[in-house]
Amino acid sequence: METLNNNNNSDNSEIKLLANRLDIHRYSEVPKYYVQPQESRPDKVMVKNDSIPIINLGGHDRAHIINQLLKASQEYGLFQAIILYVINHGVSKKLMDETLNVFKEFHAMPAEEKKIQCSKDPDGKFKIYTSTNYFPNKIRKDGEVECWKDTFLHPCPTSAENMNYWPDKPHKYREIVGEYTRELHALAHKILELLGEGLGVAPKYIYNKMGEDPTIVAQHYPACPDPSVTLGIPKHRDPSLVTILLQEEQVQGLHLEKDGQWIAVDPIPNAFVVNIGFILQLMTNGKVVGGIHRAVTNSKTARTSVVYLIYPSPKAIIKPAEEFVNEKTPTLGKFMNFEDFHAYYVKNGMKIEEEYFKIKP
Ligand code: OGA
Ligand code: NI
């Protein structure tokens, strides 16, 4: 059986990305570094996903939308916003499809090309990496398990000030992703404003207080020889204020944890999955709770998802806002800025919840 870090001549050790390795190798078994420990494997009984609320953001009754949104985000931390009235969203089916396609094309490019397309930013904020190899020279520690995915990400400020660094391949990348991220920014603000209103603060309170650093992530999970022992992404909450996820209509993979069970968040046509982020949970002192989720792989087809995150600005202090603190809900945990939070999160994942914020898993 081949492993991913062998150095024999048939193996191009330069190619670190999983999708490109799989172009060369056909693994009949999952290499051992990808085999999850028994307790993390996705073999638990699944609940049908019709228990996940669907919110119609195109409705005209704002109070009703806010109510539903709040109820959903407090119960589940995650809700699906179905786009019934595209005219109110500004996000068309065409743009959603084009965006998914351009990211599929991106991940299908040769590894070298992807690296070139990611290396224009002098600050190194554009990243292409596989699994947990966030740091290019990282050496895998004994017992560390890899995830069955490649990730591409970059900041996408609405000013488009960094657009010169964006990929110019695939064709029309800047045009399509530029439009998509502008529209998703408006949608994210709309959702944060509705949530703010529901929480009794001023509509723009959340992002005015925390600043923002919008980021686009394209996750790519190649088809896997044995999905029962692998994970695309292990369970986590997003380290964002809010996340809006676009998944392919035909491919399942996202799971939400609720009451110790995993619920399949299957794609609904024209719907985005909206996920409350852990930063919003901390900021609201637990008034809204970030959904714990994971992604699994499948053996038939690759899956690509496009994840739009509103991170707070790097220097924002991550702590409950005074509006959400009283004697009954005292502030727990240490305060740090988002930059430090994120660096720790990238290395240690959900451990940060207990270590810094006293939140029991
Ligand atoms: C993420 C994530 C899920 C998916 O990128 O944070 O949870 O379905 N992705 O790709
Ligand atoms: Ni996530």
Side-chain angles (χ1 to χ4, degrees):
M1 185 180 80
E2 284 173 306
T3 59
L4 289 194
N5 69 343
N6 66 15
N7 285 322
N8 73 37
N9 290 338
S10 67
D11 192 7
N12 180 351
S13 57
E14 285 304 303
I15 300 176
K16 296 251 171 61
L17 299 173
L18 180 60
N20 303 94
R21 280 185 170 256
L22 292 169
D23 283 343
I24 300 170
H25 305 293
R26 291 265 163 259
Y27 296 113
S28 53
E29 279 179 68
V30 171
K32 64 177 181 189
Y33 299 113
Y34 287 90
V35 175
Q36 294 287 332
Q38 201 71 42
E39 66 277 12
S40 311
R41 292 186 195 172
D43 55 359
K44 300 237 176 84
V45 180
M46 303 288 295
V47 176
K48 269 188 73 189
N49 83 338
D50 53 9
S51 55
I52 295 174
I54 298 171
I55 316 273
N56 173 8
L57 285 180
H60 295 295
D61 184 347
R62 195 170 171 88
H64 179 66
I65 299 174
I66 291 172
N67 247 330
Q68 284 201 305
L69 196 54
L70 216 59
K71 191 164 174 286
S73 51
Q74 287 171 337
E75 273 184 18
Y76 296 91
L78 190 82
F79 62 93
Q80 295 225 353
I82 194 155
I83 303 167
L84 290 178
Y85 302 99
V86 167
I87 194 162
N88 291 335
H89 278 286
V91 188
S92 65
K93 175 85 169 80
K94 178 168 176 276
L95 183 57
M96 291 163 85
D97 289 346
E98 281 176 342
T99 303
L100 266 169
N101 285 338
V102 90
F103 282 115
K104 280 200 224 174
E105 281 175 46
F106 183 90
H107 279 289
M109 295 196 301
E112 278 319 308
E113 184 63 56
K114 284 183 269 196
K115 281 179 194 158
I116 291 167
Q117 293 301 334
C118 264
S119 58
K120 299 174 205 171
D121 172 20
D123 295 333
K125 289 185 180 164
F126 287 55
K127 298 191 194 293
I128 175 89
Y129 59 93
T130 187
S131 175
T132 51
N133 291 334
Y134 198 76
F135 305 102
N137 300 320
K138 182 178 167 224
I139 295 167
R140 189 186 292 112
K141 288 192 224 113
D142 244 11
E144 215 168 62
V145 183
E146 299 282 336
C147 305
W148 197 264
K149 73 163 168 112
D150 291 331
T151 299
F152 165 55
L153 66 85
H154 66 83
C156 51
T158 43
S159 63
E161 64 201 24
N162 65 350
M163 217 181 233
N164 280 346
Y165 308 144
W166 289 30
D168 49 19
K169 274 188 198 162
H171 180 57
K172 288 203 175 170
Y173 180 94
R174 291 181 186 179
E175 199 181 305
I176 293 167
V177 181
E179 192 182 343
Y180 184 77
T181 53
R182 273 194 304 279
E183 298 205 0
L184 269 272
H185 185 257
L187 179 56
H189 270 206
K190 179 174 177 170
I191 291 164
L192 287 173
E193 287 174 21
L194 288 162
L195 273 170
E197 263 182 70
L199 290 164
V201 292
K204 298 180 195 313
Y205 177 89
I206 295 168
Y207 49 82
N208 280 352
K209 183 111 187 162
M210 303 303 280
E212 61 176 315
D213 187 10
T215 298
I216 189 98
V217 181
Q219 304 286 21
H220 178 72
Y221 312 94
C224 174
D226 187 357
S228 73
V229 298
T230 51
L231 282 177
I233 305 188
K235 74 177 206 175
H236 67 285
R237 288 186 235 259
D238 290 347
S240 62
L241 290 168
V242 70
T243 303
I244 304 178
L245 182 130
L246 169 59
Q247 43 181 351
E248 290 178 81
E249 274 178 27
Q250 310 307 332
V251 200
Q252 301 166 346
L254 179 62
H255 293 172
L256 166 69
E257 191 187 55
K258 183 163 191 300
D259 305 328
Q261 278 188 307
W262 287 101
I263 304 176
V265 189
D266 290 342
I268 295 181
N270 289 356
F272 285 108
V273 176
V274 177
N275 194 359
I276 304 292
F278 186 55
I279 300 297
L280 195 61
Q281 175 176 341
L282 291 173
M283 185 204 179
T284 61
N285 211 8
K287 272 280 224 186
V288 293
V289 175
I292 295 180
H293 55 287
R294 71 181 181 193
V296 296
T297 62
N298 77 79
S299 58
K300 294 201 176 62
T301 159
R303 174 172 180 266
T304 302
S305 64
V306 182
V307 189
Y308 180 86
L309 303 110
I310 301 279
Y311 289 131
S313 68
K315 298 294 174 205
I317 303 295
I318 308 306
K319 64 170 189 179
E322 30 316 343
E323 282 79 356
F324 299 104
V325 179
N326 59 39
E327 289 123 56
K328 273 202 228 131
T329 56
T331 303
L332 293 171
K334 295 183 188 164
F335 303 150
M336 63 182 96
N337 68 30
F338 182 67
E339 216 163 34
D340 294 341
F341 175 98
H342 197 250
Y344 190 91
Y345 180 89
V346 164
K347 274 198 188 147
N348 303 290
M350 274 184 96
K351 269 195 234 156
I352 198 168
E353 298 198 357
E354 204 171 356
E355 282 177 28
Y356 280 84
F357 300 101
K358 317 277 178 248
I359 293 170
K360 291 263 181 289

mmCIF file of all heavy atoms in Angstrom, residues 12-47:
data_model
loop_
_atom_site.group_PDB
_atom_site.id
_atom_site.type_symbol
_atom_site.label_atom_id
_atom_site.label_comp_id
_atom_site.label_asym_id
_atom_site.label_seq_id
_atom_site.Cartn_x
_atom_site.Cartn_y
_atom_site.Cartn_z
ATOM 1 N N ASN A 12 5.995 11.905 -6.664
ATOM 2 C CA ASN A 12 6.504 13.260 -6.758
ATOM 3 C C ASN A 12 6.288 13.948 -5.417
ATOM 4 O O ASN A 12 5.204 14.405 -5.097
ATOM 5 C CB ASN A 12 5.766 13.998 -7.876
ATOM 6 C CG ASN A 12 6.259 15.415 -8.016
ATOM 7 O OD1 ASN A 12 7.023 15.896 -7.186
ATOM 8 N ND2 ASN A 12 5.830 16.075 -9.067
ATOM 9 N N SER A 13 7.359 14.029 -4.622
ATOM 10 C CA SER A 13 7.181 14.526 -3.260
ATOM 11 C C SER A 13 6.872 16.025 -3.239
ATOM 12 O O SER A 13 6.506 16.568 -2.217
ATOM 13 C CB SER A 13 8.411 14.217 -2.415
ATOM 14 O OG SER A 13 9.537 14.785 -3.031
ATOM 15 N N GLU A 14 7.029 16.688 -4.372
ATOM 16 C CA GLU A 14 6.676 18.099 -4.449
ATOM 17 C C GLU A 14 5.166 18.297 -4.417
ATOM 18 O O GLU A 14 4.665 19.332 -4.048
ATOM 19 C CB GLU A 14 7.215 18.716 -5.752
ATOM 20 C CG GLU A 14 8.706 18.972 -5.739
ATOM 21 C CD GLU A 14 9.111 19.852 -4.577
ATOM 22 O OE1 GLU A 14 8.570 20.968 -4.472
ATOM 23 O OE2 GLU A 14 9.921 19.401 -3.758
ATOM 24 N N ILE A 15 4.456 17.284 -4.882
ATOM 25 C CA ILE A 15 3.009 17.446 -4.980
ATOM 26 C C ILE A 15 2.369 17.128 -3.646
ATOM 27 O O ILE A 15 2.173 15.989 -3.269
ATOM 28 C CB ILE A 15 2.416 16.568 -6.107
ATOM 29 C CG1 ILE A 15 3.037 16.979 -7.439
ATOM 30 C CG2 ILE A 15 0.904 16.725 -6.165
ATOM 31 C CD1 ILE A 15 2.608 16.126 -8.598
ATOM 32 N N LYS A 16 2.034 18.195 -2.923
ATOM 33 C CA LYS A 16 1.495 17.994 -1.592
ATOM 34 C C LYS A 16 -0.020 17.956 -1.599
ATOM 35 O O LYS A 16 -0.625 17.575 -0.628
ATOM 36 C CB LYS A 16 1.967 19.130 -0.689
ATOM 37 C CG LYS A 16 3.474 19.165 -0.484
ATOM 38 C CD LYS A 16 3.825 18.749 0.932
ATOM 39 C CE LYS A 16 5.308 18.552 1.140
ATOM 40 N NZ LYS A 16 6.082 19.759 0.906
ATOM 41 N N LEU A 17 -0.625 18.399 -2.695
ATOM 42 C CA LEU A 17 -2.084 18.500 -2.674
ATOM 43 C C LEU A 17 -2.718 17.148 -2.970
ATOM 44 O O LEU A 17 -2.289 16.421 -3.861
ATOM 45 C CB LEU A 17 -2.553 19.555 -3.685
ATOM 46 C CG LEU A 17 -2.015 20.957 -3.387
ATOM 47 C CD1 LEU A 17 -2.357 21.919 -4.507
ATOM 48 C CD2 LEU A 17 -2.556 21.468 -2.055
ATOM 49 N N LEU A 18 -3.741 16.844 -2.216
ATOM 50 C CA LEU A 18 -4.367 15.536 -2.325
ATOM 51 C C LEU A 18 -4.963 15.303 -3.714
ATOM 52 O O LEU A 18 -4.769 14.245 -4.312
ATOM 53 C CB LEU A 18 -5.451 15.406 -1.242
ATOM 54 C CG LEU A 18 -6.218 14.100 -1.191
ATOM 55 C CD1 LEU A 18 -5.299 12.918 -0.935
ATOM 56 C CD2 LEU A 18 -7.300 14.171 -0.103
ATOM 57 N N ALA A 19 -5.669 16.308 -4.241
ATOM 58 C CA ALA A 19 -6.315 16.125 -5.546
ATOM 59 C C ALA A 19 -5.285 15.764 -6.605
ATOM 60 O O ALA A 19 -5.526 14.913 -7.460
ATOM 61 C CB ALA A 19 -7.068 17.393 -5.947
ATOM 62 N N ASN A 20 -4.107 16.385 -6.552
ATOM 63 C CA ASN A 20 -3.090 16.125 -7.559
ATOM 64 C C ASN A 20 -2.388 14.793 -7.342
ATOM 65 O O ASN A 20 -2.012 14.110 -8.279
ATOM 66 C CB ASN A 20 -2.092 17.278 -7.609
ATOM 67 C CG ASN A 20 -2.800 18.592 -7.889
ATOM 68 O OD1 ASN A 20 -3.151 19.306 -6.965
ATOM 69 N ND2 ASN A 20 -3.075 18.865 -9.141
ATOM 70 N N ARG A 21 -2.252 14.426 -6.093
ATOM 71 C CA ARG A 21 -1.695 13.093 -5.817
ATOM 72 C C ARG A 21 -2.623 12.024 -6.356
ATOM 73 O O ARG A 21 -2.188 11.014 -6.887
ATOM 74 C CB ARG A 21 -1.511 12.890 -4.317
ATOM 75 C CG ARG A 21 -0.263 13.551 -3.826
ATOM 76 C CD ARG A 21 -0.029 13.258 -2.370
ATOM 77 N NE ARG A 21 1.294 13.734 -2.044
ATOM 78 C CZ ARG A 21 2.339 12.947 -1.876
ATOM 79 N NH1 ARG A 21 2.210 11.647 -1.978
ATOM 80 N NH2 ARG A 21 3.508 13.460 -1.622
ATOM 81 N N LEU A 22 -3.892 12.253 -6.187
ATOM 82 C CA LEU A 22 -4.857 11.247 -6.637
ATOM 83 C C LEU A 22 -4.934 11.171 -8.165
ATOM 84 O O LEU A 22 -5.397 10.190 -8.721
ATOM 85 C CB LEU A 22 -6.237 11.525 -6.037
ATOM 86 C CG LEU A 22 -6.316 11.310 -4.520
ATOM 87 C CD1 LEU A 22 -7.615 11.860 -3.966
ATOM 88 C CD2 LEU A 22 -6.173 9.841 -4.157
ATOM 89 N N ASP A 23 -4.461 12.237 -8.838
ATOM 90 C CA ASP A 23 -4.356 12.161 -10.301
ATOM 91 C C ASP A 23 -3.299 11.139 -10.711
ATOM 92 O O ASP A 23 -3.350 10.549 -11.773
ATOM 93 C CB ASP A 23 -3.935 13.524 -10.891
ATOM 94 C CG ASP A 23 -5.102 14.494 -10.911
ATOM 95 O OD1 ASP A 23 -6.250 14.031 -10.780
ATOM 96 O OD2 ASP A 23 -4.843 15.704 -11.050
ATOM 97 N N ILE A 24 -2.298 10.975 -9.843
ATOM 98 C CA ILE A 24 -1.182 10.100 -10.174
ATOM 99 C C ILE A 24 -1.407 8.700 -9.602
ATOM 100 O O ILE A 24 -1.179 7.700 -10.254
ATOM 101 C CB ILE A 24 0.138 10.675 -9.597
ATOM 102 C CG1 ILE A 24 0.397 12.062 -10.203
ATOM 103 C CG2 ILE A 24 1.314 9.748 -9.876
ATOM 104 C CD1 ILE A 24 1.534 12.806 -9.533
ATOM 105 N N HIS A 25 -1.855 8.662 -8.359
ATOM 106 C CA HIS A 25 -2.003 7.378 -7.665
ATOM 107 C C HIS A 25 -3.456 6.990 -7.583
ATOM 108 O O HIS A 25 -4.312 7.836 -7.411
ATOM 109 C CB HIS A 25 -1.493 7.484 -6.228
ATOM 110 C CG HIS A 25 -0.094 7.970 -6.129
ATOM 111 N ND1 HIS A 25 0.957 7.232 -6.579
ATOM 112 C CD2 HIS A 25 0.413 9.110 -5.645
ATOM 113 C CE1 HIS A 25 2.067 7.915 -6.359
ATOM 114 N NE2 HIS A 25 1.764 9.052 -5.810
ATOM 115 N N ARG A 26 -3.680 5.729 -7.653
ATOM 116 C CA ARG A 26 -5.023 5.231 -7.361
ATOM 117 C C ARG A 26 -4.924 4.460 -6.056
ATOM 118 O O ARG A 26 -4.394 3.360 -6.039
ATOM 119 C CB ARG A 26 -5.497 4.286 -8.473
ATOM 120 C CG ARG A 26 -5.766 4.986 -9.766
ATOM 121 C CD ARG A 26 -7.251 5.347 -9.899
ATOM 122 N NE ARG A 26 -7.433 6.354 -10.925
ATOM 123 C CZ ARG A 26 -7.620 7.661 -10.676
ATOM 124 N NH1 ARG A 26 -7.683 8.094 -9.455
ATOM 125 N NH2 ARG A 26 -7.754 8.512 -11.659
ATOM 126 N N TYR A 27 -5.351 5.037 -5.002
ATOM 127 C CA TYR A 27 -5.292 4.316 -3.733
ATOM 128 C C TYR A 27 -6.473 3.358 -3.648
ATOM 129 O O TYR A 27 -7.617 3.787 -3.735
ATOM 130 C CB TYR A 27 -5.346 5.282 -2.546
ATOM 131 C CG TYR A 27 -4.167 6.206 -2.477
ATOM 132 C CD1 TYR A 27 -4.318 7.572 -2.689
ATOM 133 C CD2 TYR A 27 -2.898 5.712 -2.199
ATOM 134 C CE1 TYR A 27 -3.228 8.428 -2.631
ATOM 135 C CE2 TYR A 27 -1.806 6.562 -2.138
ATOM 136 C CZ TYR A 27 -1.976 7.917 -2.358
ATOM 137 O OH TYR A 27 -0.904 8.751 -2.298
ATOM 138 N N SER A 28 -6.175 2.078 -3.480
ATOM 139 C CA SER A 28 -7.277 1.143 -3.325
ATOM 140 C C SER A 28 -7.712 1.085 -1.865
ATOM 141 O O SER A 28 -8.805 0.674 -1.527
ATOM 142 C CB SER A 28 -6.881 -0.243 -3.823
ATOM 143 O OG SER A 28 -5.691 -0.617 -3.179
ATOM 144 N N GLU A 29 -6.794 1.511 -1.003
ATOM 145 C CA GLU A 29 -7.123 1.612 0.419
ATOM 146 C C GLU A 29 -6.770 3.021 0.862
ATOM 147 O O GLU A 29 -5.927 3.677 0.260
ATOM 148 C CB GLU A 29 -6.223 0.676 1.224
ATOM 149 C CG GLU A 29 -6.634 -0.756 1.261
ATOM 150 C CD GLU A 29 -5.618 -1.537 2.083
ATOM 151 O OE1 GLU A 29 -5.548 -1.320 3.298
ATOM 152 O OE2 GLU A 29 -4.874 -2.320 1.473
ATOM 153 N N VAL A 30 -7.349 3.435 1.958
ATOM 154 C CA VAL A 30 -7.017 4.753 2.503
ATOM 155 C C VAL A 30 -5.639 4.684 3.164
ATOM 156 O O VAL A 30 -5.411 3.830 4.026
ATOM 157 C CB VAL A 30 -8.091 5.168 3.544
ATOM 158 C CG1 VAL A 30 -7.666 6.409 4.293
ATOM 159 C CG2 VAL A 30 -9.431 5.378 2.864
ATOM 160 N N PRO A 31 -4.703 5.545 2.764
ATOM 161 C CA PRO A 31 -3.395 5.538 3.431
ATOM 162 C C PRO A 31 -3.568 5.758 4.933
ATOM 163 O O PRO A 31 -4.472 6.476 5.367
ATOM 164 C CB PRO A 31 -2.672 6.720 2.789
ATOM 165 C CG PRO A 31 -3.340 6.896 1.466
ATOM 166 C CD PRO A 31 -4.776 6.537 1.685
ATOM 167 N N LYS A 32 -2.687 5.166 5.704
ATOM 168 C CA LYS A 32 -2.932 5.092 7.158
ATOM 169 C C LYS A 32 -3.017 6.462 7.828
ATOM 170 O O LYS A 32 -3.701 6.616 8.833
ATOM 171 C CB LYS A 32 -1.881 4.214 7.839
ATOM 172 C CG LYS A 32 -0.486 4.760 7.749
ATOM 173 C CD LYS A 32 0.505 3.891 8.510
ATOM 174 C CE LYS A 32 1.860 4.539 8.360
ATOM 175 N NZ LYS A 32 2.982 3.847 8.809
ATOM 176 N N TYR A 33 -2.357 7.463 7.274
ATOM 177 C CA TYR A 33 -2.413 8.792 7.900
ATOM 178 C C TYR A 33 -3.796 9.418 7.829
ATOM 179 O O TYR A 33 -4.053 10.436 8.439
ATOM 180 C CB TYR A 33 -1.395 9.741 7.248
ATOM 181 C CG TYR A 33 0.007 9.241 7.413
ATOM 182 C CD1 TYR A 33 0.743 8.825 6.306
ATOM 183 C CD2 TYR A 33 0.566 9.151 8.673
ATOM 184 C CE1 TYR A 33 2.026 8.341 6.469
ATOM 185 C CE2 TYR A 33 1.848 8.663 8.848
ATOM 186 C CZ TYR A 33 2.571 8.258 7.743
ATOM 187 O OH TYR A 33 3.823 7.784 7.913
ATOM 188 N N TYR A 34 -4.652 8.834 7.012
ATOM 189 C CA TYR A 34 -6.005 9.374 6.867
ATOM 190 C C TYR A 34 -7.032 8.610 7.678
ATOM 191 O O TYR A 34 -8.198 8.983 7.699
ATOM 192 C CB TYR A 34 -6.424 9.361 5.401
ATOM 193 C CG TYR A 34 -5.738 10.416 4.577
ATOM 194 C CD1 TYR A 34 -4.540 10.158 3.938
ATOM 195 C CD2 TYR A 34 -6.293 11.687 4.454
ATOM 196 C CE1 TYR A 34 -3.901 11.129 3.190
ATOM 197 C CE2 TYR A 34 -5.668 12.668 3.708
ATOM 198 C CZ TYR A 34 -4.470 12.378 3.078
ATOM 199 O OH TYR A 34 -3.848 13.349 2.355
ATOM 200 N N VAL A 35 -6.608 7.545 8.308
ATOM 201 C CA VAL A 35 -7.578 6.718 9.037
ATOM 202 C C VAL A 35 -7.860 7.347 10.403
ATOM 203 O O VAL A 35 -6.964 7.489 11.235
ATOM 204 C CB VAL A 35 -7.064 5.269 9.179
ATOM 205 C CG1 VAL A 35 -8.004 4.443 10.047
ATOM 206 C CG2 VAL A 35 -6.917 4.636 7.798
ATOM 207 N N GLN A 36 -9.082 7.749 10.601
ATOM 208 C CA GLN A 36 -9.496 8.412 11.839
ATOM 209 C C GLN A 36 -9.569 7.409 12.989
ATOM 210 O O GLN A 36 -9.894 6.238 12.768
ATOM 211 C CB GLN A 36 -10.892 9.026 11.652
ATOM 212 C CG GLN A 36 -10.955 10.163 10.662
ATOM 213 C CD GLN A 36 -10.335 11.441 11.175
ATOM 214 O OE1 GLN A 36 -10.294 11.695 12.388
ATOM 215 N NE2 GLN A 36 -9.837 12.263 10.265
ATOM 216 N N PRO A 37 -9.313 7.876 14.205
ATOM 217 C CA PRO A 37 -9.544 6.989 15.350
ATOM 218 C C PRO A 37 -11.033 6.602 15.393
ATOM 219 O O PRO A 37 -11.885 7.355 14.929
ATOM 220 C CB PRO A 37 -9.166 7.843 16.561
ATOM 221 C CG PRO A 37 -9.120 9.247 16.078
ATOM 222 C CD PRO A 37 -8.869 9.202 14.601
ATOM 223 N N GLN A 38 -11.275 5.446 15.974
ATOM 224 C CA GLN A 38 -12.630 4.888 15.980
ATOM 225 C C GLN A 38 -13.703 5.915 16.374
ATOM 226 O O GLN A 38 -14.733 6.027 15.713
ATOM 227 C CB GLN A 38 -12.653 3.706 16.968
ATOM 228 C CG GLN A 38 -13.786 2.734 16.748
ATOM 229 C CD GLN A 38 -13.611 1.897 15.485
ATOM 230 O OE1 GLN A 38 -12.515 1.435 15.187
ATOM 231 N NE2 GLN A 38 -14.690 1.743 14.728
ATOM 232 N N GLU A 39 -13.420 6.700 17.428
ATOM 233 C CA GLU A 39 -14.477 7.575 17.964
ATOM 234 C C GLU A 39 -14.815 8.749 17.032
ATOM 235 O O GLU A 39 -15.861 9.370 17.170
ATOM 236 C CB GLU A 39 -14.105 8.079 19.369
ATOM 237 C CG GLU A 39 -12.896 9.005 19.467
ATOM 238 C CD GLU A 39 -11.549 8.252 19.523
ATOM 239 O OE1 GLU A 39 -11.524 7.029 19.270
ATOM 240 O OE2 GLU A 39 -10.535 8.910 19.817
ATOM 241 N N SER A 40 -13.931 9.051 16.076
ATOM 242 C CA SER A 40 -14.224 10.167 15.164
ATOM 243 C C SER A 40 -14.843 9.712 13.856
ATOM 244 O O SER A 40 -15.231 10.530 13.029
ATOM 245 C CB SER A 40 -12.934 10.925 14.810
ATOM 246 O OG SER A 40 -12.207 11.225 15.951
ATOM 247 N N ARG A 41 -14.904 8.421 13.628
ATOM 248 C CA ARG A 41 -15.370 7.940 12.319
ATOM 249 C C ARG A 41 -16.859 8.225 12.109
ATOM 250 O O ARG A 41 -17.637 8.170 13.062
ATOM 251 C CB ARG A 41 -15.116 6.437 12.184
ATOM 252 C CG ARG A 41 -13.631 6.143 12.109
ATOM 253 C CD ARG A 41 -13.380 4.688 11.836
ATOM 254 N NE ARG A 41 -11.984 4.403 12.131
ATOM 255 C CZ ARG A 41 -11.452 3.192 12.152
ATOM 256 N NH1 ARG A 41 -12.214 2.144 11.886
ATOM 257 N NH2 ARG A 41 -10.182 3.028 12.422
ATOM 258 N N PRO A 42 -17.202 8.484 10.862
ATOM 259 C CA PRO A 42 -18.585 8.902 10.604
ATOM 260 C C PRO A 42 -19.562 7.740 10.472
ATOM 261 O O PRO A 42 -20.250 7.616 9.472
ATOM 262 C CB PRO A 42 -18.459 9.666 9.278
ATOM 263 C CG PRO A 42 -17.300 9.061 8.599
ATOM 264 C CD PRO A 42 -16.362 8.575 9.681
ATOM 265 N N ASP A 43 -19.631 6.902 11.497
ATOM 266 C CA ASP A 43 -20.498 5.737 11.355
ATOM 267 C C ASP A 43 -21.703 5.791 12.297
ATOM 268 O O ASP A 43 -22.378 4.810 12.513
ATOM 269 C CB ASP A 43 -19.706 4.441 11.597
ATOM 270 C CG ASP A 43 -19.005 4.459 12.935
ATOM 271 O OD1 ASP A 43 -19.125 5.484 13.647
ATOM 272 O OD2 ASP A 43 -18.345 3.471 13.284
ATOM 273 N N LYS A 44 -21.926 6.978 12.863
ATOM 274 C CA LYS A 44 -23.065 7.098 13.779
ATOM 275 C C LYS A 44 -24.379 7.156 12.995
ATOM 276 O O LYS A 44 -24.413 7.546 11.838
ATOM 277 C CB LYS A 44 -22.920 8.377 14.602
ATOM 278 C CG LYS A 44 -21.650 8.419 15.434
ATOM 279 C CD LYS A 44 -21.980 8.606 16.906
ATOM 280 C CE LYS A 44 -20.743 8.551 17.753
ATOM 281 N NZ LYS A 44 -20.053 9.832 17.807
ATOM 282 N N VAL A 45 -25.451 6.804 13.670
ATOM 283 C CA VAL A 45 -26.775 6.841 13.038
ATOM 284 C C VAL A 45 -27.142 8.291 12.710
ATOM 285 O O VAL A 45 -26.940 9.190 13.516
ATOM 286 C CB VAL A 45 -27.833 6.259 14.001
ATOM 287 C CG1 VAL A 45 -29.210 6.275 13.376
ATOM 288 C CG2 VAL A 45 -27.438 4.846 14.404
ATOM 289 N N MET A 46 -27.668 8.495 11.544
ATOM 290 C CA MET A 46 -28.005 9.847 11.123
ATOM 291 C C MET A 46 -29.502 10.108 11.280
ATOM 292 O O MET A 46 -30.321 9.235 11.051
ATOM 293 C CB MET A 46 -27.658 10.025 9.651
ATOM 294 C CG MET A 46 -26.214 9.752 9.334
ATOM 295 S SD MET A 46 -25.159 11.045 9.945
ATOM 296 C CE MET A 46 -25.730 12.380 8.931
ATOM 297 N N VAL A 47 -29.806 11.348 11.632
ATOM 298 C CA VAL A 47 -31.210 11.753 11.720
ATOM 299 C C VAL A 47 -31.556 12.451 10.409
ATOM 300 O O VAL A 47 -30.707 13.100 9.806
ATOM 301 C CB VAL A 47 -31.388 12.728 12.909
ATOM 302 C CG1 VAL A 47 -32.801 13.246 12.995
ATOM 303 C CG2 VAL A 47 -30.969 12.049 14.194
#
